[in-house]
Structure formats: C-alpha cells, structure tokens
Amino acid sequence: MEITPSILTADFCRLGETLEKAIDAGIKWLHMDVMDGNWVVNRTITFGPALIRSVREKVGNDIIIDCHLMITNAEETWKQYVDAGVNMIIAHIEAVQDFPNLINNIRNSGTKVGCVLNPDTPAEPVLDLLTELDLVLVMSVVPGKGGQSFMPEVEGKVRLFRSEINKQIEAGGRETKLMIDGGVKNHNAKLVADWGVDIAVVGSGLINSQASIRENLESITNSL
Ligand code: DX5
Ligand code: ZN
C-alpha cells in the first residue's frame, strides 16, 4: 500500500522544506486538500491553484500530485488545478451535478479523474461510474480538517469497492485505484491495507511535531 501525505498539518511558511523531507523519505505522491470555505461543514479555507503551482515547481514532474476538491464549484473550476500542474482531480460525488460529464471534460484535458465519497454516502452512485474512474477515494473522516479520528465503519464500503474493482480488472477493464483518506496512522495502516486499499492518505500521522516524516513513514510501512 502506497502512502501519500496530506499537507494540511504542515507549517505553510516552511512547506518547501517539508516537501523536500517527504521526497527524501521516499514519497512519490502528494495529496492536496482544497477547501473553499463553503463546502465542508466547518467552513475551512485551505489553499488554491497558486499554492499547488508552487508545489509543482518545487517537486518537479516525477511526483504525482492529486487534488481533493472539497469545493462547491468543481465543475466550473477544475481546470485551474490542471493548469497549476496536478495529475489527478478527485471530486466529491456529493458536490457534482453531472459526474459523467465532469469525467469526460477532465479526461479530455489529459488528466486523471477520481471520485470521492463521504463516510455516510453509499457506494452505489460511485459504483455506477467505476469503469470510467482512475481512482475511488473513500473518506474515513468527515471532510474539513486533519487530525480527526478514523471511522472504521467504512470497512464494508472499502471491501465492496475492492471486490468490484477486482472484477473489473479481471474482465480486462480499467485498473481503478482505491484510496482511503482520514485518520490513517501507524496503528491502523495494516487494517486498511488488509481491506484492499491501494493508497492511503496520511496527514497528521506523517507531518507532526512528534517525529520526522521519515520516522513516521517508516513506522507506518513497518506496520504493514
Ligand atoms: C480531510 C482531508 C484529509 C486529511 C487527512 O478533509 O481530506 O486528507 O487532511 O489528514 P489526517 O491523516 O490527519 O486525518
Ligand atoms: Zn483529502
């Protein structure tokens, strides 16, 4: 299982150093949490395309950058993030009116597309899109901030996506990736890996004051 940092708990005045340390520690994928101060329940604002552009310039083109859009107008503004240098747009099924149309528009721009669903959103509407998705992201916290507690009740949904994606691949279909996001740390990383997750987003479990990113990453990967 691959680990991708969310930078929400980083010191944004020292973000360049944090990114260097993450890449030195072996990170190959960055997860950028975009919140517009409107869509998430606690009305948080994080950052937009300008910061993502700086991150892309800092890390170069070999690092995968996804952006998790927790915003009200992803269908109108997704291209700003593509222009800022992301490889993948991950949009919320709850926030998009016409997801198939959004998938087509994003894919036609040469960018990968993922769909993310909240802990209380059932799998069905995303299962209907599965053949067209590069990634499904199952939230294991309610979106809005880092450092929240992991919600194990999403196990059934994760395992359902795992089995449907396996069937799709066995039938020669798209190799959709399965990602989880929220509350993953060294004590539960193996749990979600056993559920069949391909990539786990880790924010406060990687970027914190208790240990270095390298030490935190080793602690997680040694637990798998
Ligand atoms: C929450 C974000 C998550 C979060 C993960 O809205 O989508 O990516 O930053 O941080 P931790 O791992 O601390 O829960
Ligand atoms: Zn996220």
Side-chain angles (χ1 to χ4, degrees), residues 6-9 31 33 35 40 68 70 139 141-148 181-185 201-205:
S6 157
I7 62 164
L8 280 198
T9 48
H31 177 79
D33 284 311
M35 300 179 201
V40 296
H68 173 189
M70 291 162 273
M139 291 305 293
V141 294
V142 173
K145 59 182 175 184
Q148 300 181 82
D181 182 8
V184 177
K185 295 196 170 41
V201 176
V202 180
S204 54

Side-chain angles (χ1 to χ4, degrees), residues 68-215:
H68 173 189
L69 295 182
M70 291 162 273
I71 64 177
T72 53
N73 59 356
E75 291 169 285
E76 291 95 72
T77 61
W78 63 270
K79 188 136 182 350
Q80 294 178 30
Y81 301 92
V82 171
D83 295 343
V86 305
N87 304 95
M88 181 186 290
I89 299 282
I90 309 176
H92 269 271
I93 189 77
E94 302 91 350
V96 169
Q97 301 311 314
D98 184 345
F99 221 101
N101 184 51
L102 180 63
I103 291 172
N104 288 336
N105 293 341
I106 294 171
R107 201 176 295 296
N108 290 340
S109 77
T111 308
K112 291 186 181 294
V113 55
C115 180
V116 43
L117 60 168
N118 284 338
D120 59 356
T121 301
E124 283 62 33
V126 182
L127 286 171
D128 294 342
L129 301 165
L130 202 54
T131 54
E132 299 309 310
L133 291 171
D134 296 299
L135 179 137
V136 172
L137 170 51
V138 177
M139 291 305 293
S140 39
V141 294
V142 173
K145 59 182 175 184
Q148 300 181 82
S149 300
F150 179 75
M151 296 170 68
E153 53 266 43
V154 302
E155 176 178 359
K157 195 163 32 168
V158 171
R159 288 185 181 278
L160 173 60
F161 278 117
R162 181 70 274 155
S163 69
E164 291 305 310
I165 291 170
N166 288 348
K167 283 184 217 162
Q168 179 173 288
I169 294 171
E170 279 149 28
R174 192 182 299 270
E175 296 200 18
T176 304
K177 293 291 181 200
L178 182 54
M179 180 187 266
I180 197 165
D181 182 8
V184 177
K185 295 196 170 41
N186 56 3
H187 69 268
N188 58 10
K190 172 128 179 52
L191 179 76
V192 300
D194 291 348
W195 291 355
V197 164
D198 297 307
I199 308 131
V201 176
V202 180
S204 54
L206 262 186
I207 301 172
N208 59 48
S209 53
Q210 286 80 28
S212 71
I213 293 175
R214 177 181 296 279
E215 287 159 342

